[in-house]
Amino acid sequence: MLKELSPKAQKIKDQLTQFMDEHVYKNEAVYEQQLNDAEHRWVVPPIIEELKAKAKAEGLWNLFIDNEEYGPGLTNYEYAHLCEIMGRSLIAPEVFNCNAPDTGNMEVFMKYGTEEQKEKWLKPLLEGEIRSVFSMTEIEAASSDATNIQASITRDGDEYVINGKKWWSSGAMDPRCKVAIVMGKSDPEAETYRQQSMIIVPFDARGVEVKRYLPVFGYDHAPHGHAEVHYNNVRVPASNILLGEGRGFEIAQGRLGPGRIHHCMRAIGAAERALELMIERADGRETFGSRNIDKAVIREQIAESRIEIDSARLLTLSAAHKMDTEGNKAARKEISMTKIAAPRMCLNVIDRAIQLFGGAGVSDDTVLAAHWANARTLRIVDGPDQVHLRDIAKLEIREQLNERTSKEKEPVR
Ligand SMILES: Cc1cc2nc3c(=O)[nH]c(=O)nc-3n(C[C@H](O)[C@H](O)[C@H](O)COP(=O)(O)OP(=O)(O)OC[C@H]3O[C@@H](n4cnc5c(N)ncnc54)[C@H](O)[C@@H]3O)c2cc1C
């Protein structure tokens, strides 16, 4: 099944690897230092804008876009190889303008935006000049089932009025954040999957209130941050509705397919880096009279990690290939399987590496702790594990029973 990369994708991959070696890893500490040196951490570290300018100049920009009008036009399968490399560093996705939630929001604007919306919001996002938020999850609703979402989007003359209490709106703390895509109910009486809409809200609109930031295991993820955001009687022009009233679920489906798989690709890159660190550490340390790298138990962990990483990569690539050849809908089961397997694998591998590093593993002296915290959130975001397991089982059972029914119909020979 493994296809060779096209010469175009291979060239970008080589260039990206070189860029990471020359510019990204060594500036991770600079990024953190600049945030620490600032008056507060919700500022843009200058190094990120320098790296973005370099990456853009080299054409390593908007690599996630499969549409040649806006980006390099790579397939999901090709992008998987690049996204994995970016996942090795927590600062890398933004360097190449490939970070969530901006990627998903750009996809929404590309697919569903009017020319005016594209001009106003998509263009500066594509240029990396502004950042954005996707506000779906609510404090008071179990949001893994999006039919529970209660925020209201009510038509009033030429405007819509938005009210709701959202949280975990990633990127809301970023001083460059200028726009939110908000999901809410425009018609509570409509059929379940036609009740919700998505609407564009300029982030400086009156009534948008960023209440507090939410740390992840103590990490602030500055300067983007995740925040509780209240929308209090926010008024926007009626033309800000995306695609039309009642089309929220349709947009959510279109937005989440590729985004889910991007997280998985990055998780594979994070795991690869953890395994490299693990081997380097084991090679450099001795306990109880022998080198750690020579101990059977540690070799076993290295082997287990390699098996798990390669298995998750194959699953991810096969999902990406199916998305390319049969479409996102046909690849639903594979996407869900990947969304379960890759974060689990990543957490296992990083956990082994942390153990081998001892105290250093849980400190900020290595990237391991921050990558672990990030990977742990992946079992919750974009559909918690249990929701994906439910979907996989449903699709598997449907396939098997349909198959059995059609076999039963075959004449007995
Ligand atoms: C770091 C981070 C970033 C995020 N970024 C964003 C963002 O940018 N925009 C945004 O809108 N949201 C964002 N989220 C929110 C995230 O998408 C939600 O947390 C997720 O969808 C789960 O919703 P919930 O928190 O309301 O949990 P709930 O819906 O209350 O679910 C809680 C738990 O219930 C269990 N559960 C749910 N359904 C079932 C089932 N059918 N069977 C068995 N068990 C079940 C699962 O274990 C689940 O984890 C982010 C979250 C985090 C942690």
Side-chain angles (χ1 to χ4, degrees):
M1 200 290 289
L2 278 184
K3 271 197 317 171
E4 290 223 348
L5 283 183
S6 64
K8 175 170 130 183
Q10 185 61 49
K11 187 164 169 259
I12 301 176
K13 186 180 171 196
D14 295 343
Q15 227 184 319
L16 186 68
T17 307
Q18 196 179 345
F19 193 99
M20 294 285 291
D21 290 339
E22 283 177 10
H23 305 295
V24 177
Y25 303 121
K26 68 176 179 208
N27 279 311
E28 288 172 333
V30 175
Y31 182 95
E32 203 49 42
Q33 194 57 49
Q34 290 182 347
L35 282 173
N36 288 337
D37 290 346
E39 206 176 309
H40 57 78
R41 287 172 59 87
W42 309 111
V43 294
V44 182
I47 188 67
I48 196 76
E49 293 299 338
E50 286 167 35
L51 293 175
K52 277 165 67 181
K54 274 199 180 88
K56 200 176 192 180
E58 289 196 23
L60 295 170
W61 196 250
N62 291 333
L63 302 174
F64 68 100
I65 299 177
D66 60 2
N67 175 340
E68 283 190 332
E69 192 185 341
Y70 299 109
L74 299 173
T75 62
N76 286 297
Y77 182 86
E78 289 172 328
Y79 181 59
H81 295 78
L82 310 179
C83 198
E84 175 181 329
I85 296 168
M86 292 179 215
R88 295 170 57 91
S89 168
L90 291 171
I91 67 167
E94 187 184 348
V95 170
F96 307 104
N97 214 37
C98 291
N99 53 300
D102 298 309
T103 45
N105 289 341
M106 285 188 257
E107 274 164 13
V108 168
F109 286 123
M110 279 184 273
K111 268 194 192 162
Y112 310 111
T114 62
E115 285 314 309
E116 200 186 320
Q117 290 162 351
K118 285 181 187 167
E119 184 63 27
K120 190 153 183 196
W121 305 115
L122 176 61
K123 217 167 152 191
L125 278 168
L126 286 170
E127 292 299 324
E129 291 164 1
I130 64 166
R131 307 273 59 140
S132 61
V133 150
F134 183 67
S135 268
M136 182 167 97
T137 306
E138 295 183 359
I139 304 172
E140 283 156 18
S143 305
S144 53
D145 175 356
T147 61
N148 288 332
I149 281 165
Q150 293 301 323
S152 60
I153 301 177
T154 313
R155 180 92 189 218
D156 183 21
D158 291 343
E159 294 179 321
Y160 280 101
V161 185
I162 299 135
N163 278 291
K165 289 182 186 165
K166 301 286 185 178
W167 74 340
W168 291 108
S169 292
S170 298
M173 300 298 295
D174 195 313
R176 299 162 298 180
C177 178
K178 299 290 178 230
V179 64
I181 295 179
V182 179
M183 185 158 172
K185 274 192 182 166
S186 46
D187 183 1
E189 304 306 319
E191 177 262 307
T192 311
Y193 290 98
R194 300 282 299 178
Q195 292 182 4
Q196 308 277 354
S197 299
M198 284 201 198
I199 195 153
I200 302 168
V201 176
F203 219 52
D204 58 0
R206 195 196 298 190
V208 176
E209 191 187 356
V210 177
K211 295 289 282 186
R212 58 172 173 144
Y213 95 87
L214 304 158
V216 172
F217 295 112
Y219 290 97
D220 59 12
H221 292 171
H224 313 289
H226 316 278
E228 177 176 336
V229 183
H230 291 190
Y231 296 88
N232 307 309
N233 283 317
V234 178
R235 288 184 168 268
V236 298
S239 57
N240 279 24
I241 200 93
L242 280 159
L243 206 58
E245 277 190 32
R247 312 282 294 271
F249 275 101
E250 199 178 325
I251 301 173
Q253 284 312 314
R255 185 184 186 281
L256 284 180
R260 280 178 174 147
I261 205 151
H262 295 169
H263 282 312
C264 300
M265 296 159 179
R266 284 191 287 265
I268 294 165
E272 279 289 2
R273 189 164 177 195
L275 179 57
E276 282 168 24
L277 289 172
M278 195 168 151
I279 293 174
E280 203 181 295
R281 181 74 166 191
D283 194 35
R285 290 223 145 181
E286 198 177 300
T287 51
F288 301 99
S290 68
R291 292 186 328 135
N292 281 350
I293 194 93
D294 292 329
K295 292 183 172 39
V297 67
I298 287 171
R299 289 189 165 223
E300 216 170 82
Q301 291 186 3
I302 290 169
E304 295 284 5
S305 299
R306 171 51 60 212
I307 294 166
E308 289 172 24
I309 294 174
D310 283 6
S311 308
R313 183 185 287 111
L314 282 172
L315 195 57
T316 308
L317 289 175
S318 112
H321 181 69
K322 194 158 180 181
M323 287 163 79
D324 291 335
T325 51
E326 296 178 42
N328 297 351
K329 197 169 174 203
R332 264 183 316 162
K333 191 173 81 175
E334 287 73 10
I335 294 171
S336 283
M337 283 158 62
T338 305
K339 177 68 179 48
I340 298 276
R344 272 187 191 166
M345 169 285 292
C346 184
L347 285 165
N348 281 345
V349 174
I350 297 177
D351 187 68
R352 289 182 194 120
I354 286 176
Q355 190 66 18
L356 194 67
F357 267 79
V362 294
S363 77
D364 285 342
D365 284 8
T366 78
V367 293
L368 293 169
H371 272 289
W372 186 90
N374 192 55
R376 183 62 186 84
T377 69
L378 299 183
R379 294 191 51 211
I380 297 169
V381 301
D382 287 354
D385 282 7
Q386 290 69 23
V387 175
H388 286 288
L389 287 168
R390 174 178 163 269
D391 291 349
I392 295 164
K394 193 168 78 185
L395 291 164
E396 183 67 25
I397 292 166
R398 190 187 296 163
E399 278 167 27
Q400 297 250 359
L401 292 186
N402 280 348
E403 187 137 305
R404 210 176 303 155
T405 318
S406 54
K407 273 198 190 126
E408 276 161 13
K409 284 184 193 148
E410 280 173 22
V412 182
R413 293 178 209 279

